[in-house]
Structure formats: C-alpha cells, structure tokens
mmCIF file of all heavy atoms in Angstrom:
data_model
loop_
_atom_site.group_PDB
_atom_site.id
_atom_site.type_symbol
_atom_site.label_atom_id
_atom_site.label_comp_id
_atom_site.label_asym_id
_atom_site.label_seq_id
_atom_site.Cartn_x
_atom_site.Cartn_y
_atom_site.Cartn_z
ATOM 1 N N VAL A 1130 35.949 25.909 28.629
ATOM 2 C CA VAL A 1130 36.028 24.723 29.516
ATOM 3 C C VAL A 1130 34.642 24.071 29.539
ATOM 4 O O VAL A 1130 34.620 22.748 29.673
ATOM 5 C CB VAL A 1130 36.603 24.920 30.914
ATOM 6 C CG1 VAL A 1130 35.646 25.737 31.769
ATOM 7 C CG2 VAL A 1130 37.090 23.734 31.445
ATOM 8 N N ALA A 1131 33.537 24.801 29.390
ATOM 9 C CA ALA A 1131 32.246 24.188 29.570
ATOM 10 C C ALA A 1131 31.820 23.658 28.168
ATOM 11 O O ALA A 1131 30.741 23.055 27.950
ATOM 12 C CB ALA A 1131 31.192 25.067 30.138
ATOM 13 N N GLY A 1132 32.575 23.913 27.062
ATOM 14 C CA GLY A 1132 32.308 23.343 25.735
ATOM 15 C C GLY A 1132 32.839 21.894 25.617
ATOM 16 O O GLY A 1132 33.356 21.271 26.388
ATOM 17 N N PHE A 1133 32.413 21.381 24.398
ATOM 18 C CA PHE A 1133 32.628 20.077 24.106
ATOM 19 C C PHE A 1133 34.018 19.524 24.187
ATOM 20 O O PHE A 1133 34.501 18.621 25.146
ATOM 21 C CB PHE A 1133 32.159 19.779 22.627
ATOM 22 C CG PHE A 1133 32.288 18.398 22.080
ATOM 23 C CD1 PHE A 1133 32.408 17.179 22.888
ATOM 24 C CD2 PHE A 1133 32.511 18.261 20.695
ATOM 25 C CE1 PHE A 1133 32.605 16.057 22.409
ATOM 26 C CE2 PHE A 1133 32.745 16.917 20.165
ATOM 27 C CZ PHE A 1133 32.728 15.850 20.902
ATOM 28 N N ILE A 1134 34.998 20.334 23.512
ATOM 29 C CA ILE A 1134 36.343 19.884 23.575
ATOM 30 C C ILE A 1134 37.090 20.259 24.877
ATOM 31 O O ILE A 1134 37.886 19.534 25.386
ATOM 32 C CB ILE A 1134 37.143 20.313 22.298
ATOM 33 C CG1 ILE A 1134 36.587 19.888 21.094
ATOM 34 C CG2 ILE A 1134 38.675 20.055 22.382
ATOM 35 C CD1 ILE A 1134 37.061 20.398 19.802
ATOM 36 N N GLY A 1135 36.710 21.504 25.282
ATOM 37 C CA GLY A 1135 37.439 22.127 26.497
ATOM 38 C C GLY A 1135 37.113 21.198 27.741
ATOM 39 O O GLY A 1135 37.930 20.969 28.564
ATOM 40 N N PHE A 1136 35.902 20.620 27.823
ATOM 41 C CA PHE A 1136 35.495 19.763 28.916
ATOM 42 C C PHE A 1136 36.399 18.532 28.955
ATOM 43 O O PHE A 1136 36.945 18.207 29.968
ATOM 44 C CB PHE A 1136 34.042 19.445 28.789
ATOM 45 C CG PHE A 1136 33.617 18.062 29.365
ATOM 46 C CD1 PHE A 1136 33.509 18.003 30.788
ATOM 47 C CD2 PHE A 1136 33.345 16.987 28.677
ATOM 48 C CE1 PHE A 1136 33.150 16.871 31.451
ATOM 49 C CE2 PHE A 1136 32.914 15.830 29.291
ATOM 50 C CZ PHE A 1136 32.758 15.727 30.670
ATOM 51 N N HIS A 1137 36.552 17.928 27.823
ATOM 52 C CA HIS A 1137 37.381 16.809 27.729
ATOM 53 C C HIS A 1137 38.882 16.912 27.953
ATOM 54 O O HIS A 1137 39.525 16.184 28.607
ATOM 55 C CB HIS A 1137 37.264 16.015 26.372
ATOM 56 C CG HIS A 1137 35.904 15.314 26.179
ATOM 57 N ND1 HIS A 1137 35.577 14.105 26.693
ATOM 58 C CD2 HIS A 1137 34.730 15.695 25.646
ATOM 59 C CE1 HIS A 1137 34.426 13.656 26.458
ATOM 60 N NE2 HIS A 1137 33.785 14.628 25.726
ATOM 61 N N VAL A 1138 39.307 18.098 27.546
ATOM 62 C CA VAL A 1138 40.785 18.541 27.645
ATOM 63 C C VAL A 1138 40.997 18.667 29.186
ATOM 64 O O VAL A 1138 41.966 18.250 29.803
ATOM 65 C CB VAL A 1138 41.166 19.688 26.899
ATOM 66 C CG1 VAL A 1138 42.468 20.255 27.342
ATOM 67 C CG2 VAL A 1138 41.187 19.390 25.435
ATOM 68 N N ALA A 1139 40.035 19.462 29.992
ATOM 69 C CA ALA A 1139 40.269 19.755 31.241
ATOM 70 C C ALA A 1139 40.367 18.377 32.080
ATOM 71 O O ALA A 1139 41.129 18.273 32.973
ATOM 72 C CB ALA A 1139 39.056 20.557 31.882
ATOM 73 N N ILE A 1140 39.379 17.390 31.770
ATOM 74 C CA ILE A 1140 39.426 16.096 32.513
ATOM 75 C C ILE A 1140 40.800 15.454 32.256
ATOM 76 O O ILE A 1140 41.414 14.751 33.176
ATOM 77 C CB ILE A 1140 38.292 15.265 31.835
ATOM 78 C CG1 ILE A 1140 36.941 15.764 32.283
ATOM 79 C CG2 ILE A 1140 38.488 13.766 32.442
ATOM 80 C CD1 ILE A 1140 36.488 15.630 33.676
ATOM 81 N N LYS A 1141 41.330 15.393 30.983
ATOM 82 C CA LYS A 1141 42.583 14.716 30.719
ATOM 83 C C LYS A 1141 43.737 15.417 31.569
ATOM 84 O O LYS A 1141 44.586 14.816 32.108
ATOM 85 C CB LYS A 1141 42.861 14.957 29.230
ATOM 86 C CG LYS A 1141 44.166 14.239 28.688
ATOM 87 C CD LYS A 1141 44.066 12.763 28.607
ATOM 88 C CE LYS A 1141 45.344 12.273 27.932
ATOM 89 N NZ LYS A 1141 45.339 10.796 27.786
ATOM 90 N N LEU A 1142 43.701 16.684 31.686
ATOM 91 C CA LEU A 1142 44.784 17.436 32.390
ATOM 92 C C LEU A 1142 44.696 17.107 33.857
ATOM 93 O O LEU A 1142 45.748 16.974 34.526
ATOM 94 C CB LEU A 1142 44.683 18.816 32.018
ATOM 95 C CG LEU A 1142 45.116 19.459 30.615
ATOM 96 C CD1 LEU A 1142 44.783 20.790 30.348
ATOM 97 C CD2 LEU A 1142 46.494 19.040 30.226
ATOM 98 N N LEU A 1143 43.469 17.122 34.301
ATOM 99 C CA LEU A 1143 43.307 16.845 35.787
ATOM 100 C C LEU A 1143 43.724 15.360 36.084
ATOM 101 O O LEU A 1143 44.383 15.179 37.078
ATOM 102 C CB LEU A 1143 41.883 16.992 36.214
ATOM 103 C CG LEU A 1143 41.391 18.392 36.322
ATOM 104 C CD1 LEU A 1143 39.838 18.318 36.581
ATOM 105 C CD2 LEU A 1143 42.130 19.192 37.341
ATOM 106 N N GLU A 1144 43.492 14.440 35.115
ATOM 107 C CA GLU A 1144 43.841 13.136 35.365
ATOM 108 C C GLU A 1144 45.335 12.916 35.470
ATOM 109 O O GLU A 1144 45.744 11.995 36.328
ATOM 110 C CB GLU A 1144 43.286 12.250 34.256
ATOM 111 C CG GLU A 1144 41.828 11.956 34.231
ATOM 112 C CD GLU A 1144 41.231 11.207 33.120
ATOM 113 O OE1 GLU A 1144 42.005 11.042 32.149
ATOM 114 O OE2 GLU A 1144 40.133 10.746 33.160
ATOM 115 N N ARG A 1145 46.129 13.804 34.840
ATOM 116 C CA ARG A 1145 47.639 13.627 34.922
ATOM 117 C C ARG A 1145 48.157 14.482 35.983
ATOM 118 O O ARG A 1145 49.415 14.540 36.067
ATOM 119 C CB ARG A 1145 48.270 13.749 33.527
ATOM 120 C CG ARG A 1145 48.187 15.259 33.146
ATOM 121 C CD ARG A 1145 48.871 15.465 31.794
ATOM 122 N NE ARG A 1145 49.320 16.737 31.409
ATOM 123 C CZ ARG A 1145 50.119 17.030 30.517
ATOM 124 N NH1 ARG A 1145 50.636 16.232 29.653
ATOM 125 N NH2 ARG A 1145 50.503 18.362 30.268
ATOM 126 N N GLY A 1146 47.419 15.238 36.693
ATOM 127 C CA GLY A 1146 47.949 15.976 37.767
ATOM 128 C C GLY A 1146 48.019 17.433 37.650
ATOM 129 O O GLY A 1146 48.568 18.070 38.555
ATOM 130 N N ASP A 1147 47.704 18.023 36.441
ATOM 131 C CA ASP A 1147 47.803 19.426 36.292
ATOM 132 C C ASP A 1147 46.795 20.129 37.104
ATOM 133 O O ASP A 1147 45.743 19.715 37.485
ATOM 134 C CB ASP A 1147 47.686 19.759 34.830
ATOM 135 C CG ASP A 1147 48.884 19.366 34.031
ATOM 136 O OD1 ASP A 1147 49.993 19.271 34.532
ATOM 137 O OD2 ASP A 1147 48.719 19.001 32.789
ATOM 138 N N THR A 1148 47.115 21.516 37.378
ATOM 139 C CA THR A 1148 46.145 22.423 37.966
ATOM 140 C C THR A 1148 45.370 23.096 36.712
ATOM 141 O O THR A 1148 46.120 23.600 35.914
ATOM 142 C CB THR A 1148 46.809 23.408 38.846
ATOM 143 O OG1 THR A 1148 47.303 22.704 39.950
ATOM 144 C CG2 THR A 1148 45.770 24.425 39.364
ATOM 145 N N VAL A 1149 44.081 23.009 36.731
ATOM 146 C CA VAL A 1149 43.456 23.600 35.635
ATOM 147 C C VAL A 1149 42.450 24.782 36.047
ATOM 148 O O VAL A 1149 41.685 24.602 36.952
ATOM 149 C CB VAL A 1149 42.432 22.515 34.953
ATOM 150 C CG1 VAL A 1149 41.641 23.085 33.826
ATOM 151 C CG2 VAL A 1149 43.355 21.363 34.452
ATOM 152 N N VAL A 1150 42.535 25.931 35.427
ATOM 153 C CA VAL A 1150 41.729 27.028 35.583
ATOM 154 C C VAL A 1150 40.836 27.040 34.316
ATOM 155 O O VAL A 1150 41.317 27.309 33.242
ATOM 156 C CB VAL A 1150 42.574 28.476 35.712
ATOM 157 C CG1 VAL A 1150 41.574 29.531 35.926
ATOM 158 C CG2 VAL A 1150 43.440 28.305 36.903
ATOM 159 N N GLY A 1151 39.514 26.762 34.547
ATOM 160 C CA GLY A 1151 38.646 26.702 33.400
ATOM 161 C C GLY A 1151 37.948 28.039 33.284
ATOM 162 O O GLY A 1151 37.429 28.526 34.253
ATOM 163 N N VAL A 1152 37.916 28.508 32.043
ATOM 164 C CA VAL A 1152 37.211 29.898 31.783
ATOM 165 C C VAL A 1152 36.142 29.641 30.822
ATOM 166 O O VAL A 1152 36.253 28.920 29.730
ATOM 167 C CB VAL A 1152 38.256 30.870 31.260
ATOM 168 C CG1 VAL A 1152 37.486 32.262 30.970
ATOM 169 C CG2 VAL A 1152 39.336 31.002 32.283
ATOM 170 N N ASP A 1153 34.977 30.266 31.033
ATOM 171 C CA ASP A 1153 33.854 30.127 30.008
ATOM 172 C C ASP A 1153 32.801 31.236 30.371
ATOM 173 O O ASP A 1153 32.695 31.552 31.528
ATOM 174 C CB ASP A 1153 33.208 28.766 30.123
ATOM 175 C CG ASP A 1153 32.449 28.306 28.843
ATOM 176 O OD1 ASP A 1153 31.475 28.984 28.459
ATOM 177 O OD2 ASP A 1153 32.881 27.362 28.185
ATOM 178 N N ASN A 1154 32.163 31.728 29.196
ATOM 179 C CA ASN A 1154 31.174 32.766 29.536
ATOM 180 C C ASN A 1154 29.805 32.174 29.624
ATOM 181 O O ASN A 1154 28.826 32.878 29.795
ATOM 182 C CB ASN A 1154 31.245 33.884 28.420
ATOM 183 C CG ASN A 1154 30.856 33.385 27.010
ATOM 184 O OD1 ASN A 1154 30.484 32.185 26.758
ATOM 185 N ND2 ASN A 1154 30.891 34.293 26.100
ATOM 186 N N LEU A 1155 29.684 30.756 29.386
ATOM 187 C CA LEU A 1155 28.435 30.133 29.426
ATOM 188 C C LEU A 1155 27.235 30.818 28.652
ATOM 189 O O LEU A 1155 26.221 31.042 29.145
ATOM 190 C CB LEU A 1155 27.905 29.952 30.953
ATOM 191 C CG LEU A 1155 28.882 29.163 31.795
ATOM 192 C CD1 LEU A 1155 28.364 29.201 33.377
ATOM 193 C CD2 LEU A 1155 28.951 27.685 31.233
ATOM 194 N N ASN A 1156 27.617 31.223 27.349
ATOM 195 C CA ASN A 1156 26.616 31.849 26.592
ATOM 196 C C ASN A 1156 25.553 30.875 26.264
ATOM 197 O O ASN A 1156 25.710 29.700 26.286
ATOM 198 C CB ASN A 1156 27.250 32.612 25.407
ATOM 199 C CG ASN A 1156 27.835 31.735 24.347
ATOM 200 O OD1 ASN A 1156 27.332 30.513 24.120
ATOM 201 N ND2 ASN A 1156 28.857 31.981 23.707
ATOM 202 N N ASP A 1157 24.369 31.417 25.573
ATOM 203 C CA ASP A 1157 23.272 30.510 25.356
ATOM 204 C C ASP A 1157 23.128 30.244 23.849
ATOM 205 O O ASP A 1157 22.068 29.982 23.292
ATOM 206 C CB ASP A 1157 22.104 31.251 25.777
ATOM 207 C CG ASP A 1157 21.785 32.608 25.125
ATOM 208 O OD1 ASP A 1157 22.570 33.024 24.299
ATOM 209 O OD2 ASP A 1157 20.685 33.103 25.416
ATOM 210 N N TYR A 1158 24.299 30.168 23.041
ATOM 211 C CA TYR A 1158 24.262 29.691 21.742
ATOM 212 C C TYR A 1158 23.622 28.291 21.582
ATOM 213 O O TYR A 1158 22.843 28.087 20.568
ATOM 214 C CB TYR A 1158 25.721 29.701 21.156
ATOM 215 C CG TYR A 1158 25.855 29.000 19.873
ATOM 216 C CD1 TYR A 1158 25.154 29.545 18.745
ATOM 217 C CD2 TYR A 1158 26.506 27.833 19.725
ATOM 218 C CE1 TYR A 1158 25.374 28.983 17.484
ATOM 219 C CE2 TYR A 1158 26.744 27.202 18.510
ATOM 220 C CZ TYR A 1158 26.105 27.731 17.335
ATOM 221 O OH TYR A 1158 26.219 27.109 16.197
ATOM 222 N N TYR A 1159 23.935 27.460 22.604
ATOM 223 C CA TYR A 1159 23.144 26.248 22.729
ATOM 224 C C TYR A 1159 22.921 25.885 24.092
ATOM 225 O O TYR A 1159 23.367 26.726 24.940
ATOM 226 C CB TYR A 1159 23.951 24.975 22.035
ATOM 227 C CG TYR A 1159 25.304 24.675 22.578
ATOM 228 C CD1 TYR A 1159 25.317 23.769 23.706
ATOM 229 C CD2 TYR A 1159 26.400 24.993 21.952
ATOM 230 C CE1 TYR A 1159 26.479 23.377 24.190
ATOM 231 C CE2 TYR A 1159 27.619 24.544 22.517
ATOM 232 C CZ TYR A 1159 27.678 23.753 23.592
ATOM 233 O OH TYR A 1159 28.834 23.389 24.086
ATOM 234 N N ASP A 1160 22.274 24.916 24.484
ATOM 235 C CA ASP A 1160 21.658 24.635 25.832
ATOM 236 C C ASP A 1160 22.751 24.804 26.876
ATOM 237 O O ASP A 1160 23.747 24.127 27.068
ATOM 238 C CB ASP A 1160 21.230 23.115 25.806
ATOM 239 C CG ASP A 1160 20.769 22.658 27.185
ATOM 240 O OD1 ASP A 1160 20.259 23.542 27.972
ATOM 241 O OD2 ASP A 1160 20.636 21.433 27.392
ATOM 242 N N VAL A 1161 22.542 25.820 27.785
ATOM 243 C CA VAL A 1161 23.391 26.089 28.930
ATOM 244 C C VAL A 1161 23.333 24.856 29.922
ATOM 245 O O VAL A 1161 24.366 24.658 30.666
ATOM 246 C CB VAL A 1161 23.021 27.409 29.573
ATOM 247 C CG1 VAL A 1161 23.980 27.686 30.792
ATOM 248 C CG2 VAL A 1161 23.152 28.585 28.588
ATOM 249 N N GLY A 1162 22.256 24.260 29.995
ATOM 250 C CA GLY A 1162 22.174 23.091 30.812
ATOM 251 C C GLY A 1162 23.158 21.928 30.527
ATOM 252 O O GLY A 1162 23.777 21.378 31.481
ATOM 253 N N LEU A 1163 23.482 21.801 29.226
ATOM 254 C CA LEU A 1163 24.465 20.798 28.745
ATOM 255 C C LEU A 1163 25.860 21.235 29.287
ATOM 256 O O LEU A 1163 26.703 20.485 29.831
ATOM 257 C CB LEU A 1163 24.430 20.644 27.369
ATOM 258 C CG LEU A 1163 25.560 19.796 26.637
ATOM 259 C CD1 LEU A 1163 25.433 18.258 27.294
ATOM 260 C CD2 LEU A 1163 25.428 19.640 25.165
ATOM 261 N N LYS A 1164 26.093 22.614 29.192
ATOM 262 C CA LYS A 1164 27.358 23.143 29.567
ATOM 263 C C LYS A 1164 27.593 22.870 31.118
ATOM 264 O O LYS A 1164 28.667 22.503 31.552
ATOM 265 C CB LYS A 1164 27.582 24.616 29.230
ATOM 266 C CG LYS A 1164 27.437 24.841 27.760
ATOM 267 C CD LYS A 1164 27.537 26.302 27.422
ATOM 268 C CE LYS A 1164 27.582 26.535 25.962
ATOM 269 N NZ LYS A 1164 27.660 27.933 25.517
ATOM 270 N N GLN A 1165 26.531 23.241 31.747
ATOM 271 C CA GLN A 1165 26.528 23.016 33.260
ATOM 272 C C GLN A 1165 26.724 21.591 33.689
ATOM 273 O O GLN A 1165 27.398 21.270 34.661
ATOM 274 C CB GLN A 1165 25.270 23.636 33.940
ATOM 275 C CG GLN A 1165 25.232 23.688 35.455
ATOM 276 C CD GLN A 1165 26.567 24.536 35.858
ATOM 277 O OE1 GLN A 1165 26.621 25.627 35.568
ATOM 278 N NE2 GLN A 1165 27.431 23.985 36.806
ATOM 279 N N SER A 1166 26.143 20.703 32.960
ATOM 280 C CA SER A 1166 26.297 19.287 33.218
ATOM 281 C C SER A 1166 27.789 18.826 33.115
ATOM 282 O O SER A 1166 28.309 17.998 33.821
ATOM 283 C CB SER A 1166 25.413 18.374 32.203
ATOM 284 O OG SER A 1166 24.009 18.601 32.548
ATOM 285 N N ARG A 1167 28.450 19.453 32.043
ATOM 286 C CA ARG A 1167 29.870 19.090 31.842
ATOM 287 C C ARG A 1167 30.719 19.590 33.066
ATOM 288 O O ARG A 1167 31.598 18.905 33.457
ATOM 289 C CB ARG A 1167 30.350 19.777 30.517
ATOM 290 C CG ARG A 1167 29.752 19.200 29.293
ATOM 291 C CD ARG A 1167 30.209 19.960 28.001
ATOM 292 N NE ARG A 1167 29.755 19.605 26.817
ATOM 293 C CZ ARG A 1167 29.300 20.407 25.864
ATOM 294 N NH1 ARG A 1167 29.378 21.807 25.996
ATOM 295 N NH2 ARG A 1167 28.758 19.944 24.676
ATOM 296 N N LEU A 1168 30.358 20.820 33.430
ATOM 297 C CA LEU A 1168 31.067 21.448 34.561
ATOM 298 C C LEU A 1168 30.776 20.531 35.780
ATOM 299 O O LEU A 1168 31.706 20.380 36.710
ATOM 300 C CB LEU A 1168 30.655 22.805 34.834
ATOM 301 C CG LEU A 1168 31.149 23.860 33.783
ATOM 302 C CD1 LEU A 1168 30.506 25.245 34.141
ATOM 303 C CD2 LEU A 1168 32.590 23.976 33.731
ATOM 304 N N ASP A 1169 29.545 19.997 36.022
ATOM 305 C CA ASP A 1169 29.221 19.132 37.149
ATOM 306 C C ASP A 1169 30.162 17.949 37.200
ATOM 307 O O ASP A 1169 30.501 17.474 38.223
ATOM 308 C CB ASP A 1169 27.800 18.846 37.167
ATOM 309 C CG ASP A 1169 26.834 20.029 37.442
ATOM 310 O OD1 ASP A 1169 27.398 21.005 37.952
ATOM 311 O OD2 ASP A 1169 25.648 19.947 37.185
ATOM 312 N N ILE A 1170 30.342 17.302 35.880
ATOM 313 C CA ILE A 1170 31.179 16.106 35.890
ATOM 314 C C ILE A 1170 32.578 16.413 36.386
ATOM 315 O O ILE A 1170 33.239 15.618 36.975
ATOM 316 C CB ILE A 1170 31.117 15.660 34.419
ATOM 317 C CG1 ILE A 1170 29.776 15.170 33.916
ATOM 318 C CG2 ILE A 1170 32.282 14.460 34.199
ATOM 319 C CD1 ILE A 1170 29.392 13.875 34.739
#
C-alpha cells in the first residue's frame, strides 16, 4: 500500500466507500521517506 500503485489503488477504494487494510513492510529498496509521504496522503 505504500508503493506506487498500491497507494493509488487505496485512494480509489476509499473514495468509493470501501474499507481498506493497507499492508506494507516499508523496506528500503528505495526511499522510505517517499513511501511514508504516500501513507501521509
């Protein structure tokens, strides 16, 4: 859910009223700060 596509999918599902459980291990393959920024949004 903190990834590129997962972030956008979660937003779309929330917008239409679904309950979303987001799962991510927040690994450091790339900038964890970007992943956290997506979660903040």
Side-chain angles (χ1 to χ4, degrees):
V1130 73
F1133 176 29
I1134 301 174
F1136 157 72
H1137 285 280
V1138 167
I1140 292 287
K1141 179 77 169 181
L1142 293 174
L1143 288 174
E1144 285 175 350
R1145 71 178 200 167
D1147 289 329
T1148 296
V1149 177
V1150 179
V1152 179
D1153 204 293
N1154 66 358
L1155 296 177
N1156 69 34
D1157 62 358
Y1158 168 65
Y1159 65 81
D1160 180 22
V1161 178
L1163 175 59
K1164 297 180 180 182
Q1165 188 58 56
S1166 293
R1167 295 177 183 135
L1168 291 176
D1169 291 343
I1170 294 294

